[in-house]
Amino acid sequence: QVQLVESGGGSVQAGGYLRLSCAASAYTYSSNCMGWFRQAPGKEREGVAAIYTSGGVTNYADSVKGRFTISQDKAKNTVYLQMNSLKPEDTAMYYCAASTRPFCAPVGGPRQYEYNYWGQGTQVTVSS
């Protein structure tokens, strides 16, 4: 069964931090990559970070590089997104996704068309 459940969103002031979690079913976690995406109102969905689940290689969008960190706990089938130094422009709905395709965590961040499975999202709001 395909299942991705995000948690950890909330409201924070600029400069603050949040950690998002994505709990996946065992079937979903057997995917090649896990990724985080975000979508702000009126904007297209943007790939934020991704990780190859077997080797642990990660890649990020330039907009979050150095501030966000994606990690995984394979024993828990869980992927995390640690978000530090948050800015108002980070405000968005954040989605966890899984991909079975080979080139799912490229330099520059994930591309949504490479991802098969999606969670429902968790809202992050950063106030100035």
Side-chain angles (χ1 to χ4, degrees), residues 67-99:
R67 299 188 298 123
F68 290 12
T69 302
I70 187 171
S71 62
Q72 62 179 344
D73 185 334
K74 287 184 162 183
K76 296 181 179 179
N77 293 341
T78 299
V79 174
Y80 303 98
L81 186 68
Q82 179 68 42
M83 306 186 295
N84 297 330
S85 302
L86 282 162
K87 305 176 181 180
E89 51 264 43
D90 295 318
T91 296
M93 184 71 78
Y94 282 71
Y95 298 91
C96 176
S99 174

Side-chain angles (χ1 to χ4, degrees), residues 37-49:
F37 294 77
R38 66 185 181 185
Q39 188 167 19
K43 294 188 177 181
E44 292 187 357
R45 191 168 296 187
E46 172 191 20
V48 174

Side-chain angles (χ1 to χ4, degrees), residues 6-56:
E6 303 97 333
S7 61
S11 298
V12 65
Q13 289 192 325
Y17 63 90
L18 285 171
R19 188 175 83 154
L20 306 183
S21 299
C22 174
S25 62
Y27 173 81
T28 309
Y29 206 81
S30 64
S31 299
N32 196 30
C33 291
M34 298 293 292
W36 285 98
F37 294 77
R38 66 185 181 185
Q39 188 167 19
K43 294 188 177 181
E44 292 187 357
R45 191 168 296 187
E46 172 191 20
V48 174
I51 184 168
Y52 285 103
T53 56
S54 59

